Amino acid sequence: MRHDRRVTPAPLNDYYKEKTISLLTKHRKESIIAPILSSAGCRIELISQFDTDTLGTFTREIPRVADQLETARRKARIGMEISGCALGLASEGSFGSDPFIGLMPWNREVVVLVDDIIGIEIIGMAEEAGTHHHLAASRWEEASDFANRVGFPDQYLTLRPNNQNDPRIIKDITSWAHFEDAFRSAAAIADTGWVFVETDGRAHGNPTRRQIIAKATEDLFRKMQSACPSCGSPGYAAVQSFPGLPCADCGNPTKIARAQLWLCRKCGEHETRETARQLADPIFCDYCNP
Ligand SMILES: [Zn+2]
Ligand SMILES: [Zn+2]
């Protein structure tokens, strides 16, 4: 293993130029993903006839990264089967609570490229605060205040009579007139009189989510362009971070990464690269700022 201070990415790799990659998606995610990857020179073949919702829809718990990746991988493989492509793309998102204090809605997106030509996969990922809010309302004024706060109508809403478990969901609420009608009819059939209002998690109805999918795709694009220094395969990237960057004030180790492990999934070439920063902001220090 080499230890050095190189922080510049490996040279550009035009491996994906002129190649066709299938993209299995519903909810119009191709409009986010395809333009970003088109700068790699590849052709994206859209596969939209498969209902990806049968592979599971959003829950209110954030899954393990491995499970989320497995779902994205299965979607990519289905697209490859339908299209006959040796290269396939798919994405998978999840919502939960933020990993810091657990109070903020959190959205993690993965975009996976399965490459059966050389037998690798490349993973793009992004996670940050997302739009995933809900409210139990008995009055229209409460529901319309909530809608204003979450950015309706760009952000779509869903409604259920009674509570979050009622199966009589009303989806695709994209206008104020429809929202008010739907609210009143849900309230009318709710024996409790309450209506459960929730932000729509699907990409086409959730602008914040679309931005995070774009960031995950940019991450994937960078890795597609990053060549292994040993065998030249694409996808040479950081796969693990080592915390412990010293605090700028007291010098104690922080949770901020001091180095990353870079790995080629094709030939196993790897190295530890120190991060560009030498000292961490004391705001991340458990001693100075517990
Ligand atoms: Zn390699
Ligand atoms: Zn400190």
Side-chain angles (χ1 to χ4, degrees):
M1 204 190 308
R2 290 198 299 270
H3 294 266
D4 59 28
R5 294 205 61 87
R6 269 194 298 140
V7 286
T8 47
L12 280 189
N13 187 324
D14 62 359
Y15 170 82
Y16 289 104
K17 210 172 167 191
E18 314 279 304
K19 291 198 167 74
T20 303
I21 308 178
S22 66
L23 169 60
L24 181 80
T25 183
K26 229 183 119 185
H27 311 314
R28 304 199 282 275
K29 281 185 269 187
E30 73 281 2
S31 63
I32 311 165
I33 295 172
I36 296 170
L37 296 188
S38 67
S39 7
C42 52
R43 281 181 297 267
I44 302 290
E45 185 174 333
L46 178 64
I47 311 291
S48 53
Q49 64 266 46
F50 184 86
D51 184 359
T52 52
D53 288 349
T54 60
L55 297 175
T57 48
F58 289 114
T59 60
R60 295 175 179 90
E61 292 289 307
I62 206 147
R64 295 183 309 128
V65 175
D67 294 339
Q68 195 173 340
L69 268 174
E70 187 50 38
T71 307
R73 203 175 276 139
R74 277 170 63 199
K75 287 184 187 173
R77 289 252 166 238
I78 292 166
M80 291 160 77
E81 248 166 60
I82 295 173
S83 64
C85 289
L87 302 167
L89 267 170
S91 83
E92 176 71 3
S94 67
F95 285 106
S97 304
D98 75 89
F100 312 109
I101 45 172
L103 295 174
M104 237 183 344
W106 198 250
N107 181 191
R108 184 202 297 139
E109 297 293 334
V110 298
V111 185
V112 173
L113 171 62
V114 176
D115 181 337
D116 273 357
I117 300 174
I118 51 173
I120 57 165
E121 68 175 24
I122 307 179
I123 299 159
M125 197 181 306
E127 54 185 321
E128 55 187 71
T131 302
H132 191 221
H133 305 279
H134 59 81
L135 174 83
S138 58
R139 293 184 306 117
W140 165 245
E141 291 70 29
E142 296 168 317
S144 58
D145 281 355
F146 171 81
N148 273 318
R149 276 203 306 280
V150 299
F152 181 75
D154 288 341
Q155 166 63 56
Y156 296 2
L157 294 173
T158 64
L159 294 183
R160 294 167 192 265
N162 297 314
N163 59 47
Q164 62 184 52
N165 300 318
D166 197 296
R168 293 170 289 177
I169 187 167
I170 307 170
K171 288 187 192 180
D172 297 308
I173 300 172
T174 61
S175 74
W176 280 101
H178 182 196
F179 181 32
E180 186 162 3
D181 272 2
F183 182 85
R184 297 199 190 284
S185 23
I189 56 168
D191 7 272
T192 58
W194 291 83
V195 178
F196 185 78
V197 189
E198 193 171 29
T199 51
D200 196 326
R202 295 170 302 167
H204 66 289
N206 193 308
T208 319
R209 193 173 163 217
R210 287 200 294 275
Q211 287 168 15
I212 302 173
I213 293 172
K215 286 181 185 173
T217 309
E218 283 157 8
D219 184 47
L220 174 71
F221 175 74
R222 275 191 297 275
K223 291 170 179 169
M224 286 165 70
Q225 304 294 103
S226 170
C228 168
S230 175
C231 74
S233 294
Y236 191 67
V239 294
Q240 198 187 339
S241 288
F242 304 108
L245 195 67
C247 167
D249 270 2
C250 72
N252 278 302
T254 65
K255 289 186 196 112
I256 303 299
R258 62 178 162 77
Q260 289 178 315
L261 175 66
W262 283 60
L263 173 72
C264 171
R265 291 179 192 273
K266 179 68 185 164
C267 74
E269 169 74 9
H270 58 279
E271 69 190 297
T272 302
R273 290 188 184 182
E274 287 177 34
T275 52
R277 304 190 66 173
Q278 313 246 5
L279 293 169
D281 190 316
I283 203 166
F284 300 111
C285 177
D286 285 343
Y287 300 94
C288 300
N289 192 25

